Amino acid sequence: MAKIQKTILSLAFIPIMAAALIVLTAASGGKDKNSVVLVSAASSLSVAIEDIVDKFNSLHPDITIRVSFGGSGYLATQIENGAPVDILISADERDADRLIIKKIARRESTNILCRNTLVLAGFGDQLQKEPQKELRKILETSNKIGIGNPDYVAAGLYTKNLLLKAGLFSKYSTKFIKGNSVRQVVGWLESGDVDYAFIYKCDARLNPNIIIYREYPIIGNLEITYPALLTLKGESNSYAKLFYSFLDSSTSGDILTGYGFLTDKS
């Protein structure tokens, strides 16, 4: 039976999450505490990671994978504050760099898991009504635009950089509704709380009513990459190293590709 336990994080949980994860680790101490692997992953990966964990557990049923999903910046901050995480999968390489600089992980234990595409999306039949709207016109005529919080959410930072480069961020900043994760922003789009949203292509593919207006695979001259990082704690856990290797396998690559991510492993 698959052993995946999922937590969805918000900003309010950051001060208490380290303690919560420590309790979870201690509670698993019946036979081998190292058979529990603690993973923090960007929320845009949630569905794909759940499938990867299910596949891994079909091969290793005695290993428990506990996954916390949230904004990449939130997750890195929790690890900096002492959350005993074995593996971080971020949507922003800078979060991995932060942990490497603080000697929480080694650069040699980091690899690019996959890539993604930022999209500007609407909901329902908007595209049929206004198929040729350019980005500036969309921002100008909309009341609310959903974006991830650029301070903590990688997709929000990519959005900010995209709009800064186009000279549009400051002009329309009062229209931006900032979410704590991409999944939260997607929810706003689906419920009609925002007119349009900057989200990832993989999220847009999960709902056939989400319409993609524009695709941005490269922001400036940078691809949107997802580094997977094995922390120093994870390096001392043989089960964490086993799952980390599985993330880099063709099996995981096929799952990620199926959800719209780009990978060289499939």
Side-chain angles (χ1 to χ4, degrees):
M1 184 174 69
K3 298 182 179 180
I4 177 172
Q5 300 178 13
K6 178 173 70 171
T7 303
I8 303 295
L9 304 179
S10 70
L11 181 59
F13 293 158
I14 287 181
I16 66 172
M17 196 60 197
L21 286 175
I22 291 170
V23 170
L24 287 173
T25 304
S28 68
K31 47 180 182 178
D32 180 3
K33 66 180 181 180
N34 286 331
S35 66
V36 177
V37 179
L38 300 179
V39 180
S40 291
S43 63
S44 52
L45 283 164
S46 58
V47 181
I49 290 296
E50 287 172 8
D51 281 5
I52 289 172
V53 170
D54 283 341
K55 185 63 177 179
F56 177 82
N57 277 134
S58 71
L59 302 173
H60 306 282
D62 294 329
I63 301 176
T64 299
I65 309 294
R66 289 195 175 115
V67 188
S68 297
F69 295 107
S72 296
Y74 294 147
L75 301 174
T77 297
Q78 287 164 5
I79 296 172
E80 287 177 324
N81 289 340
V85 172
D86 297 302
I87 297 170
L88 170 68
I89 310 172
S90 172
D92 188 345
E93 290 191 57
R94 286 170 300 182
D95 296 315
D97 289 340
R98 283 164 54 189
L99 301 186
I100 292 168
I101 290 170
K102 294 196 173 184
K103 301 188 184 305
I104 298 172
R106 299 184 307 128
R107 191 167 299 281
E108 294 83 357
S109 297
T110 305
N111 70 78
I112 300 302
L113 180 65
C114 57
R115 303 181 301 282
N116 210 341
T117 299
L118 186 73
V119 301
L120 173 62
F123 194 78
D125 62 352
Q126 291 169 312
L127 188 61
Q128 284 70 38
K129 292 179 181 177
E130 303 164 310
Q132 301 302 324
K133 262 194 174 183
E134 60 180 16
L135 177 57
R136 182 184 297 273
K137 182 62 70 173
I138 289 174
L139 297 178
E140 184 179 300
T141 58
S142 300
N143 294 315
K144 296 179 180 180
I145 306 289
I147 69 171
N149 187 328
D151 293 333
Y152 285 99
V153 181
L157 186 58
Y158 289 129
T159 300
K160 180 178 180 179
N161 289 340
L162 170 72
L163 296 178
L164 282 172
K165 185 175 177 64
L168 301 173
F169 186 80
S170 298
K171 184 174 183 179
Y172 298 107
S173 61
T174 58
K175 298 187 176 188
F176 300 145
I177 309 301
K178 300 174 184 177
N180 291 336
S181 71
V182 178
R183 292 305 307 158
Q184 183 177 39
V185 176
V186 172
W188 291 341
L189 183 64
E190 292 172 330
S191 64
D193 290 326
V194 298
D195 303 311
Y196 299 89
F198 285 93
I199 59 178
Y200 288 126
K201 188 174 183 179
C202 62
D203 295 297
R205 286 174 51 136
L206 295 177
N207 188 329
N209 292 315
I210 293 179
I211 307 299
I212 295 175
Y213 273 76
R214 299 284 185 274
E215 297 189 17
Y216 305 99
I218 297 177
I219 309 300
N221 60 349
L222 299 175
E223 290 186 301
I224 298 173
T225 57
Y226 286 67
L229 178 149
L230 186 67
T231 66
L232 293 180
K233 175 185 179 296
E235 287 191 31
S236 66
N237 183 340
S238 60
Y239 297 106
K241 291 194 288 187
L242 185 63
F243 182 65
Y244 184 75
S245 296
F246 187 76
L247 287 170
D248 199 39
S249 68
S250 59
T251 299
S252 294
D254 288 340
I255 292 172
L256 288 162
T257 300
Y259 283 106
F261 293 94
L262 303 173
T263 174
D264 299 326
K265 303 296 188 302
S266 59

